Amino acid sequence: GENVEQHPSTLSVQEGDSAVIKCTYSDSASNYFPWYKQELGKGPQLIIDIRSNVGEKKDQRIAVTLNKTAKHFSLHITETQPEDSAVYFCAARNDYKLSFGAGTTVTVRA
Amino acid sequence: SAVISQKPSRDICQRGTSLTIQCQVDSQVTMMFWYRQQPGQSLTLIATANQGSEATYESGFVIDKFPISRPNLTFSTLTVSNMSPEDSSIYLCSVPGIEAFFGQGTRLTVV
């Protein structure tokens, strides 16, 4: 089955700086890669996703890149704000099943 | 995008009892997924609920412990049976589609 690895497990950044989270996947058949933000006590919220036929996607301060050859994808958050503090999960989907990374706890320091 | 509603949002239950969690989707979907998120952990797929057939369980999860119903294309339930403190988790349902959305989850605490 699919194996998704996510790094780093924790990330502390100064407000206004950028944050980067990286994930690798094992199954070359995976074709959909969503990112979720989870705040304390809430379910994961889809913040951005990318499909295997696209190399990069951007939505305001958030961007995701995908390298299919290397089987890795990354989340980039620019101009971080305190409300970006949360746990972020990457995932890879193959045959309708999502496999998740272990999560990254992002703390934005004011 | 699908709207997914889960009930209850949270519950505190006594060990040995069972809790049934409901998931309602605002559109018809062939498959619904149930996930578990243990404290401080990532999400793990419990089973896939298909309308008109038995659910398909992932390794480590069994029907006796997590019976699932799927009476129609917009609704599913997950029961956590004979609960122990180790079952304390967030349980989430999800539907496949162009985008992968989750319900807000059910936070279960077993005491």
Side-chain angles (χ1 to χ4, degrees), chain A residues 97, chain B residues 19-21 31-36 44-50 53-70 76-81 91:
Chain A
K97 292 184 180 180
Chain B
L19 176 71
T20 296
I21 302 167
M31 289 183 287
M32 295 175 74
F33 299 108
W34 287 99
Y35 287 82
R36 181 177 73 180
T44 302
L45 181 64
I46 297 172
T48 303
N50 303 297
S53 64
E54 286 199 1
T56 304
Y57 289 82
E58 299 298 307
S59 176
F61 297 97
V62 296
I63 188 171
D64 289 347
K65 177 66 176 178
F66 298 101
I68 287 172
S69 78
R70 185 78 202 277
S76 177
T77 67
L78 170 76
T79 298
V80 186
S81 303
Y91 293 86

Side-chain angles (χ1 to χ4, degrees), chain A residues 2-109:
Chain A
E2 176 65 275
N3 180 45
V4 179
E5 295 191 356
Q6 183 172 345
H7 299 281
S9 57
T10 61
L11 181 60
S12 180
V13 297
Q14 190 70 36
E15 182 177 359
D17 288 350
S18 295
V20 180
I21 304 170
K22 298 182 179 182
C23 289
T24 61
Y25 62 100
S26 60
D27 191 342
S28 57
S30 291
N31 56 15
Y32 174 68
F33 307 91
W35 286 88
Y36 297 90
K37 175 183 180 182
Q38 187 174 28
E39 297 174 325
L40 197 62
K42 298 183 179 180
Q45 299 296 312
L46 178 68
I47 57 172
I48 196 167
D49 55 16
I50 192 167
R51 286 169 177 76
S52 56
N53 59 346
V54 176
E56 183 174 357
K57 183 177 178 181
K58 188 174 182 180
D59 183 4
Q60 299 183 346
R61 296 187 296 109
I62 295 173
V64 58
T65 60
L66 170 66
N67 184 326
K68 281 187 62 179
T69 303
K71 294 205 283 286
H72 67 70
F73 56 113
S74 301
L75 177 72
H76 303 252
I77 306 173
T78 59
E79 301 173 18
T80 53
Q81 301 168 5
E83 52 264 36
D84 294 328
S85 295
V87 180
Y88 292 81
F89 292 98
C90 64
R93 186 169 73 185
N94 178 20
D95 193 23
Y96 296 103
K97 292 184 180 180
L98 279 172
S99 298
F100 285 83
T104 297
T105 301
V106 174
T107 303
V108 180
R109 307 187 306 273

